[in-house]
Amino acid sequence: IHNDVNVTIPAGEPFKKLETVNGIYSQLLSAGLDRQGTIIALGGGVVGDVAGFVAATYMRGIDFVQVPTTLLAMVDASVGGKTGVDLPEGKNLVGAFKQPQAVLVDLLTLSTLPDVEFSSGMAEVIKSGLIADRQLFELVESQAAQLMARSDADLELLADIVSCSVEVKRVIVEEDPYENGRRAVLNLGHTFGHAIEQVSGYRVRHGEAVAMGLVAAAHLSAVLGHCSSTLEPRISQVVDSVSLPTQIPPAYQAEDIYAAMASDKKKATGRLRFILLRDIGDVFVTDQMSESQIIETLRHCGAA
């Protein structure tokens, strides 16, 4: 490799910002990296998002490869071509679609992942099952303890949940690569989740916020009459079984979370869009709910 350069960035969502991107540009230019170069993103979802955005924009675009080392990145962030950074006003408000040349997954990296980070990734696995794979959801439901143990003997089980999650996303992204339609369903739990992250100052991890958002989406779906009232406790139980929170911390105000949703890029024609559930594996996009119903859902789910 000619003109190779190793760039490291601090861990965590607070560093997923334009200042980080500018610093990387400077290092790549100093190293003489040209348009024939390739960026390899080794790390979690933040690394992949930032590196992908740099690859999409540096010299008007160069190749990049994703090497995700966290469960969340393996099943979600490294697949699908979305890259970007946050602004103070909200998550992922600056970005680009940039497909990696390859995604290389080594499941053995999961053995060194802290428990809280592994649990965070499980939120996206549960989400994938809820969107389009009932068997995946039921696998997590029945094998949660074994999955959380992460022993070498369970590599086949881990491979199953990673491959099934990626397959759900692959099918949907190939149908709608630029999120003009069906791809929006991949945001199940995220309209709630992103707002919770923002209000918490990103002290709440992405997967934790998505987990809260999945429970909230099920509650709102039931309130609006789209699904059975038994779905919320079932989802809540699975979320809890992988050591994820089911309730929004009461330190956060429902009105503040609702206000944070106002800058969500998933809005359409000025209205908030939510992905709601009819059943496991049956989701849809709608903007047909009132502010009071959203506020009630937030309070039901723990917000003050």
PDB file of all heavy atoms in Angstrom, residues 102-132:
ATOM      1  N   ALA A 102     -16.709  -3.759   0.125  1.00  0.00           N
ATOM      2  CA  ALA A 102     -16.875  -5.032   0.810  1.00  0.00           C
ATOM      3  C   ALA A 102     -17.136  -4.771   2.283  1.00  0.00           C
ATOM      4  O   ALA A 102     -16.768  -3.719   2.812  1.00  0.00           O
ATOM      5  CB  ALA A 102     -15.627  -5.902   0.645  1.00  0.00           C
ATOM      6  N   VAL A 103     -17.783  -5.735   2.929  1.00  0.00           N
ATOM      7  CA  VAL A 103     -17.961  -5.718   4.383  1.00  0.00           C
ATOM      8  C   VAL A 103     -17.382  -7.024   4.911  1.00  0.00           C
ATOM      9  O   VAL A 103     -17.833  -8.107   4.531  1.00  0.00           O
ATOM     10  CB  VAL A 103     -19.442  -5.601   4.786  1.00  0.00           C
ATOM     11  CG1 VAL A 103     -19.582  -5.590   6.306  1.00  0.00           C
ATOM     12  CG2 VAL A 103     -20.072  -4.345   4.187  1.00  0.00           C
ATOM     13  N   LEU A 104     -16.365  -6.922   5.759  1.00  0.00           N
ATOM     14  CA  LEU A 104     -15.676  -8.090   6.292  1.00  0.00           C
ATOM     15  C   LEU A 104     -15.994  -8.235   7.779  1.00  0.00           C
ATOM     16  O   LEU A 104     -15.662  -7.351   8.572  1.00  0.00           O
ATOM     17  CB  LEU A 104     -14.165  -7.968   6.082  1.00  0.00           C
ATOM     18  CG  LEU A 104     -13.706  -7.669   4.639  1.00  0.00           C
ATOM     19  CD1 LEU A 104     -12.200  -7.479   4.597  1.00  0.00           C
ATOM     20  CD2 LEU A 104     -14.136  -8.784   3.700  1.00  0.00           C
ATOM     21  N   VAL A 105     -16.634  -9.345   8.148  1.00  0.00           N
ATOM     22  CA  VAL A 105     -17.075  -9.561   9.526  1.00  0.00           C
ATOM     23  C   VAL A 105     -16.306 -10.723  10.131  1.00  0.00           C
ATOM     24  O   VAL A 105     -16.277 -11.823   9.558  1.00  0.00           O
ATOM     25  CB  VAL A 105     -18.590  -9.859   9.578  1.00  0.00           C
ATOM     26  CG1 VAL A 105     -19.004 -10.303  10.978  1.00  0.00           C
ATOM     27  CG2 VAL A 105     -19.386  -8.637   9.150  1.00  0.00           C
ATOM     28  N   ASP A 106     -15.691 -10.490  11.270  1.00  0.00           N
ATOM     29  CA  ASP A 106     -15.032 -11.544  12.041  1.00  0.00           C
ATOM     30  C   ASP A 106     -15.760 -11.656  13.380  1.00  0.00           C
ATOM     31  O   ASP A 106     -15.622 -10.791  14.245  1.00  0.00           O
ATOM     32  CB  ASP A 106     -13.556 -11.212  12.263  1.00  0.00           C
ATOM     33  CG  ASP A 106     -12.806 -12.319  12.996  1.00  0.00           C
ATOM     34  OD1 ASP A 106     -13.471 -13.269  13.487  1.00  0.00           O
ATOM     35  OD2 ASP A 106     -11.570 -12.227  13.107  1.00  0.00           O
ATOM     36  N   LEU A 107     -16.539 -12.720  13.549  1.00  0.00           N
ATOM     37  CA  LEU A 107     -17.349 -12.873  14.754  1.00  0.00           C
ATOM     38  C   LEU A 107     -16.517 -12.981  16.017  1.00  0.00           C
ATOM     39  O   LEU A 107     -17.010 -12.722  17.113  1.00  0.00           O
ATOM     40  CB  LEU A 107     -18.247 -14.105  14.617  1.00  0.00           C
ATOM     41  CG  LEU A 107     -19.348 -14.020  13.557  1.00  0.00           C
ATOM     42  CD1 LEU A 107     -20.053 -15.356  13.435  1.00  0.00           C
ATOM     43  CD2 LEU A 107     -20.346 -12.919  13.887  1.00  0.00           C
ATOM     44  N   LEU A 108     -15.242 -13.359  15.889  1.00  0.00           N
ATOM     45  CA  LEU A 108     -14.398 -13.496  17.071  1.00  0.00           C
ATOM     46  C   LEU A 108     -14.168 -12.159  17.765  1.00  0.00           C
ATOM     47  O   LEU A 108     -13.855 -12.124  18.957  1.00  0.00           O
ATOM     48  CB  LEU A 108     -13.060 -14.139  16.705  1.00  0.00           C
ATOM     49  CG  LEU A 108     -13.133 -15.607  16.265  1.00  0.00           C
ATOM     50  CD1 LEU A 108     -11.756 -16.110  15.859  1.00  0.00           C
ATOM     51  CD2 LEU A 108     -13.716 -16.484  17.376  1.00  0.00           C
ATOM     52  N   THR A 109     -14.335 -11.048  17.032  1.00  0.00           N
ATOM     53  CA  THR A 109     -14.183  -9.744  17.684  1.00  0.00           C
ATOM     54  C   THR A 109     -15.269  -9.520  18.734  1.00  0.00           C
ATOM     55  O   THR A 109     -15.086  -8.720  19.656  1.00  0.00           O
ATOM     56  CB  THR A 109     -14.220  -8.591  16.669  1.00  0.00           C
ATOM     57  OG1 THR A 109     -15.488  -8.595  16.002  1.00  0.00           O
ATOM     58  CG2 THR A 109     -13.103  -8.727  15.644  1.00  0.00           C
ATOM     59  N   LEU A 110     -16.387 -10.229  18.610  1.00  0.00           N
ATOM     60  CA  LEU A 110     -17.474 -10.049  19.572  1.00  0.00           C
ATOM     61  C   LEU A 110     -17.111 -10.578  20.956  1.00  0.00           C
ATOM     62  O   LEU A 110     -17.709 -10.173  21.952  1.00  0.00           O
ATOM     63  CB  LEU A 110     -18.748 -10.748  19.072  1.00  0.00           C
ATOM     64  CG  LEU A 110     -19.346 -10.200  17.776  1.00  0.00           C
ATOM     65  CD1 LEU A 110     -20.587 -10.991  17.388  1.00  0.00           C
ATOM     66  CD2 LEU A 110     -19.669  -8.716  17.896  1.00  0.00           C
ATOM     67  N   SER A 111     -16.125 -11.477  21.021  1.00  0.00           N
ATOM     68  CA  SER A 111     -15.750 -12.040  22.319  1.00  0.00           C
ATOM     69  C   SER A 111     -15.087 -11.005  23.224  1.00  0.00           C
ATOM     70  O   SER A 111     -15.054 -11.164  24.442  1.00  0.00           O
ATOM     71  CB  SER A 111     -14.817 -13.237  22.136  1.00  0.00           C
ATOM     72  OG  SER A 111     -13.583 -12.833  21.562  1.00  0.00           O
ATOM     73  N   THR A 112     -14.560  -9.941  22.629  1.00  0.00           N
ATOM     74  CA  THR A 112     -13.905  -8.892  23.428  1.00  0.00           C
ATOM     75  C   THR A 112     -14.798  -7.670  23.619  1.00  0.00           C
ATOM     76  O   THR A 112     -14.387  -6.703  24.243  1.00  0.00           O
ATOM     77  CB  THR A 112     -12.593  -8.444  22.742  1.00  0.00           C
ATOM     78  OG1 THR A 112     -12.906  -7.874  21.454  1.00  0.00           O
ATOM     79  CG2 THR A 112     -11.648  -9.620  22.550  1.00  0.00           C
ATOM     80  N   LEU A 113     -16.009  -7.730  23.095  1.00  0.00           N
ATOM     81  CA  LEU A 113     -16.912  -6.581  23.173  1.00  0.00           C
ATOM     82  C   LEU A 113     -17.513  -6.476  24.577  1.00  0.00           C
ATOM     83  O   LEU A 113     -17.990  -7.468  25.124  1.00  0.00           O
ATOM     84  CB  LEU A 113     -18.030  -6.754  22.140  1.00  0.00           C
ATOM     85  CG  LEU A 113     -18.810  -5.519  21.699  1.00  0.00           C
ATOM     86  CD1 LEU A 113     -17.900  -4.507  21.017  1.00  0.00           C
ATOM     87  CD2 LEU A 113     -19.946  -5.939  20.763  1.00  0.00           C
ATOM     88  N   PRO A 114     -17.495  -5.286  25.187  1.00  0.00           N
ATOM     89  CA  PRO A 114     -18.145  -5.134  26.494  1.00  0.00           C
ATOM     90  C   PRO A 114     -19.613  -5.537  26.436  1.00  0.00           C
ATOM     91  O   PRO A 114     -20.272  -5.376  25.392  1.00  0.00           O
ATOM     92  CB  PRO A 114     -17.999  -3.635  26.788  1.00  0.00           C
ATOM     93  CG  PRO A 114     -16.829  -3.193  25.977  1.00  0.00           C
ATOM     94  CD  PRO A 114     -16.857  -4.031  24.725  1.00  0.00           C
ATOM     95  N   ASP A 115     -20.117  -6.055  27.537  1.00  0.00           N
ATOM     96  CA  ASP A 115     -21.500  -6.537  27.574  1.00  0.00           C
ATOM     97  C   ASP A 115     -22.494  -5.470  27.122  1.00  0.00           C
ATOM     98  O   ASP A 115     -23.444  -5.759  26.388  1.00  0.00           O
ATOM     99  CB  ASP A 115     -21.858  -7.004  28.993  1.00  0.00           C
ATOM    100  CG  ASP A 115     -21.154  -8.287  29.388  1.00  0.00           C
ATOM    101  OD1 ASP A 115     -20.630  -8.983  28.487  1.00  0.00           O
ATOM    102  OD2 ASP A 115     -21.121  -8.595  30.594  1.00  0.00           O
ATOM    103  N   VAL A 116     -22.290  -4.230  27.579  1.00  0.00           N
ATOM    104  CA  VAL A 116     -23.251  -3.170  27.240  1.00  0.00           C
ATOM    105  C   VAL A 116     -23.262  -2.902  25.740  1.00  0.00           C
ATOM    106  O   VAL A 116     -24.305  -2.568  25.167  1.00  0.00           O
ATOM    107  CB  VAL A 116     -22.961  -1.863  28.013  1.00  0.00           C
ATOM    108  CG1 VAL A 116     -23.261  -2.030  29.482  1.00  0.00           C
ATOM    109  CG2 VAL A 116     -21.531  -1.382  27.793  1.00  0.00           C
ATOM    110  N   GLU A 117     -22.107  -3.060  25.072  1.00  0.00           N
ATOM    111  CA  GLU A 117     -22.053  -2.831  23.632  1.00  0.00           C
ATOM    112  C   GLU A 117     -22.685  -3.991  22.868  1.00  0.00           C
ATOM    113  O   GLU A 117     -23.323  -3.793  21.833  1.00  0.00           O
ATOM    114  CB  GLU A 117     -20.604  -2.620  23.187  1.00  0.00           C
ATOM    115  CG  GLU A 117     -19.966  -1.351  23.724  1.00  0.00           C
ATOM    116  CD  GLU A 117     -20.618  -0.088  23.197  1.00  0.00           C
ATOM    117  OE1 GLU A 117     -21.390  -0.161  22.216  1.00  0.00           O
ATOM    118  OE2 GLU A 117     -20.373   0.988  23.771  1.00  0.00           O
ATOM    119  N   PHE A 118     -22.493  -5.214  23.372  1.00  0.00           N
ATOM    120  CA  PHE A 118     -23.140  -6.354  22.727  1.00  0.00           C
ATOM    121  C   PHE A 118     -24.657  -6.225  22.836  1.00  0.00           C
ATOM    122  O   PHE A 118     -25.391  -6.427  21.862  1.00  0.00           O
ATOM    123  CB  PHE A 118     -22.672  -7.664  23.358  1.00  0.00           C
ATOM    124  CG  PHE A 118     -23.200  -8.883  22.653  1.00  0.00           C
ATOM    125  CD1 PHE A 118     -22.596  -9.358  21.504  1.00  0.00           C
ATOM    126  CD2 PHE A 118     -24.323  -9.547  23.143  1.00  0.00           C
ATOM    127  CE1 PHE A 118     -23.101 -10.477  20.844  1.00  0.00           C
ATOM    128  CE2 PHE A 118     -24.824 -10.662  22.496  1.00  0.00           C
ATOM    129  CZ  PHE A 118     -24.210 -11.133  21.343  1.00  0.00           C
ATOM    130  N   SER A 119     -25.137  -5.873  24.025  1.00  0.00           N
ATOM    131  CA  SER A 119     -26.573  -5.667  24.205  1.00  0.00           C
ATOM    132  C   SER A 119     -27.082  -4.592  23.258  1.00  0.00           C
ATOM    133  O   SER A 119     -28.161  -4.726  22.665  1.00  0.00           O
ATOM    134  CB  SER A 119     -26.873  -5.254  25.654  1.00  0.00           C
ATOM    135  OG  SER A 119     -26.671  -6.334  26.535  1.00  0.00           O
ATOM    136  N   SER A 120     -26.314  -3.521  23.101  1.00  0.00           N
ATOM    137  CA  SER A 120     -26.712  -2.432  22.213  1.00  0.00           C
ATOM    138  C   SER A 120     -26.951  -2.942  20.789  1.00  0.00           C
ATOM    139  O   SER A 120     -27.930  -2.575  20.135  1.00  0.00           O
ATOM    140  CB  SER A 120     -25.639  -1.339  22.226  1.00  0.00           C
ATOM    141  OG  SER A 120     -26.105  -0.147  21.648  1.00  0.00           O
ATOM    142  N   GLY A 121     -26.086  -3.820  20.331  1.00  0.00           N
ATOM    143  CA  GLY A 121     -26.257  -4.396  19.000  1.00  0.00           C
ATOM    144  C   GLY A 121     -27.483  -5.276  18.897  1.00  0.00           C
ATOM    145  O   GLY A 121     -28.119  -5.372  17.833  1.00  0.00           O
ATOM    146  N   MET A 122     -27.847  -5.926  19.995  1.00  0.00           N
ATOM    147  CA  MET A 122     -29.018  -6.803  19.974  1.00  0.00           C
ATOM    148  C   MET A 122     -30.304  -6.031  19.693  1.00  0.00           C
ATOM    149  O   MET A 122     -31.278  -6.598  19.193  1.00  0.00           O
ATOM    150  CB  MET A 122     -29.131  -7.553  21.299  1.00  0.00           C
ATOM    151  CG  MET A 122     -28.110  -8.675  21.477  1.00  0.00           C
ATOM    152  SD  MET A 122     -28.184  -9.958  20.187  1.00  0.00           S
ATOM    153  CE  MET A 122     -29.860 -10.555  20.413  1.00  0.00           C
ATOM    154  N   ALA A 123     -30.322  -4.738  19.996  1.00  0.00           N
ATOM    155  CA  ALA A 123     -31.508  -3.935  19.685  1.00  0.00           C
ATOM    156  C   ALA A 123     -31.785  -3.946  18.189  1.00  0.00           C
ATOM    157  O   ALA A 123     -32.948  -4.044  17.750  1.00  0.00           O
ATOM    158  CB  ALA A 123     -31.318  -2.499  20.178  1.00  0.00           C
ATOM    159  N   GLU A 124     -30.729  -3.852  17.388  1.00  0.00           N
ATOM    160  CA  GLU A 124     -30.914  -3.847  15.934  1.00  0.00           C
ATOM    161  C   GLU A 124     -31.275  -5.236  15.414  1.00  0.00           C
ATOM    162  O   GLU A 124     -31.979  -5.366  14.412  1.00  0.00           O
ATOM    163  CB  GLU A 124     -29.660  -3.313  15.242  1.00  0.00           C
ATOM    164  CG  GLU A 124     -29.339  -1.854  15.535  1.00  0.00           C
ATOM    165  CD  GLU A 124     -30.282  -0.867  14.830  1.00  0.00           C
ATOM    166  OE1 GLU A 124     -31.127  -1.307  14.021  1.00  0.00           O
ATOM    167  OE2 GLU A 124     -30.164   0.341  15.113  1.00  0.00           O
ATOM    168  N   VAL A 125     -30.807  -6.279  16.088  1.00  0.00           N
ATOM    169  CA  VAL A 125     -31.205  -7.639  15.716  1.00  0.00           C
ATOM    170  C   VAL A 125     -32.702  -7.826  15.960  1.00  0.00           C
ATOM    171  O   VAL A 125     -33.434  -8.328  15.086  1.00  0.00           O
ATOM    172  CB  VAL A 125     -30.392  -8.684  16.511  1.00  0.00           C
ATOM    173  CG1 VAL A 125     -30.901 -10.094  16.219  1.00  0.00           C
ATOM    174  CG2 VAL A 125     -28.906  -8.584  16.188  1.00  0.00           C
ATOM    175  N   ILE A 126     -33.158  -7.413  17.132  1.00  0.00           N
ATOM    176  CA  ILE A 126     -34.591  -7.502  17.449  1.00  0.00           C
ATOM    177  C   ILE A 126     -35.393  -6.684  16.450  1.00  0.00           C
ATOM    178  O   ILE A 126     -36.445  -7.119  15.968  1.00  0.00           O
ATOM    179  CB  ILE A 126     -34.850  -7.027  18.893  1.00  0.00           C
ATOM    180  CG1 ILE A 126     -34.189  -7.985  19.891  1.00  0.00           C
ATOM    181  CG2 ILE A 126     -36.349  -6.912  19.173  1.00  0.00           C
ATOM    182  CD1 ILE A 126     -34.139  -7.464  21.322  1.00  0.00           C
ATOM    183  N   LYS A 127     -34.903  -5.494  16.139  1.00  0.00           N
ATOM    184  CA  LYS A 127     -35.577  -4.645  15.155  1.00  0.00           C
ATOM    185  C   LYS A 127     -35.731  -5.357  13.813  1.00  0.00           C
ATOM    186  O   LYS A 127     -36.804  -5.335  13.194  1.00  0.00           O
ATOM    187  CB  LYS A 127     -34.784  -3.343  14.960  1.00  0.00           C
ATOM    188  CG  LYS A 127     -35.412  -2.369  13.979  1.00  0.00           C
ATOM    189  CD  LYS A 127     -34.404  -1.369  13.429  1.00  0.00           C
ATOM    190  CE  LYS A 127     -33.535  -2.001  12.333  1.00  0.00           C
ATOM    191  NZ  LYS A 127     -32.671  -0.982  11.675  1.00  0.00           N
ATOM    192  N   SER A 128     -34.669  -6.008  13.354  1.00  0.00           N
ATOM    193  CA  SER A 128     -34.724  -6.707  12.064  1.00  0.00           C
ATOM    194  C   SER A 128     -35.791  -7.792  12.086  1.00  0.00           C
ATOM    195  O   SER A 128     -36.541  -7.972  11.113  1.00  0.00           O
ATOM    196  CB  SER A 128     -33.361  -7.323  11.734  1.00  0.00           C
ATOM    197  OG  SER A 128     -32.387  -6.321  11.544  1.00  0.00           O
ATOM    198  N   GLY A 129     -35.857  -8.539  13.190  1.00  0.00           N
ATOM    199  CA  GLY A 129     -36.879  -9.573  13.303  1.00  0.00           C
ATOM    200  C   GLY A 129     -38.282  -8.989  13.277  1.00  0.00           C
ATOM    201  O   GLY A 129     -39.179  -9.527  12.614  1.00  0.00           O
ATOM    202  N   LEU A 130     -38.479  -7.875  13.975  1.00  0.00           N
ATOM    203  CA  LEU A 130     -39.797  -7.243  14.001  1.00  0.00           C
ATOM    204  C   LEU A 130     -40.208  -6.729  12.629  1.00  0.00           C
ATOM    205  O   LEU A 130     -41.386  -6.748  12.271  1.00  0.00           O
ATOM    206  CB  LEU A 130     -39.797  -6.092  15.010  1.00  0.00           C
ATOM    207  CG  LEU A 130     -39.771  -6.495  16.485  1.00  0.00           C
ATOM    208  CD1 LEU A 130     -39.559  -5.267  17.357  1.00  0.00           C
ATOM    209  CD2 LEU A 130     -41.065  -7.208  16.874  1.00  0.00           C
ATOM    210  N   ILE A 131     -39.237  -6.281  11.853  1.00  0.00           N
ATOM    211  CA  ILE A 131     -39.553  -5.722  10.536  1.00  0.00           C
ATOM    212  C   ILE A 131     -39.951  -6.805   9.544  1.00  0.00           C
ATOM    213  O   ILE A 131     -40.958  -6.684   8.843  1.00  0.00           O
ATOM    214  CB  ILE A 131     -38.351  -4.921   9.986  1.00  0.00           C
ATOM    215  CG1 ILE A 131     -38.164  -3.636  10.799  1.00  0.00           C
ATOM    216  CG2 ILE A 131     -38.538  -4.579   8.501  1.00  0.00           C
ATOM    217  CD1 ILE A 131     -36.880  -2.897  10.473  1.00  0.00           C
ATOM    218  N   ALA A 132     -39.169  -7.894   9.481  1.00  0.00           N
ATOM    219  CA  ALA A 132     -39.380  -8.806   8.356  1.00  0.00           C
ATOM    220  C   ALA A 132     -38.965 -10.248   8.586  1.00  0.00           C
ATOM    221  O   ALA A 132     -38.865 -11.002   7.631  1.00  0.00           O
ATOM    222  CB  ALA A 132     -38.632  -8.266   7.125  1.00  0.00           C
TER     223      ALA A 132
END
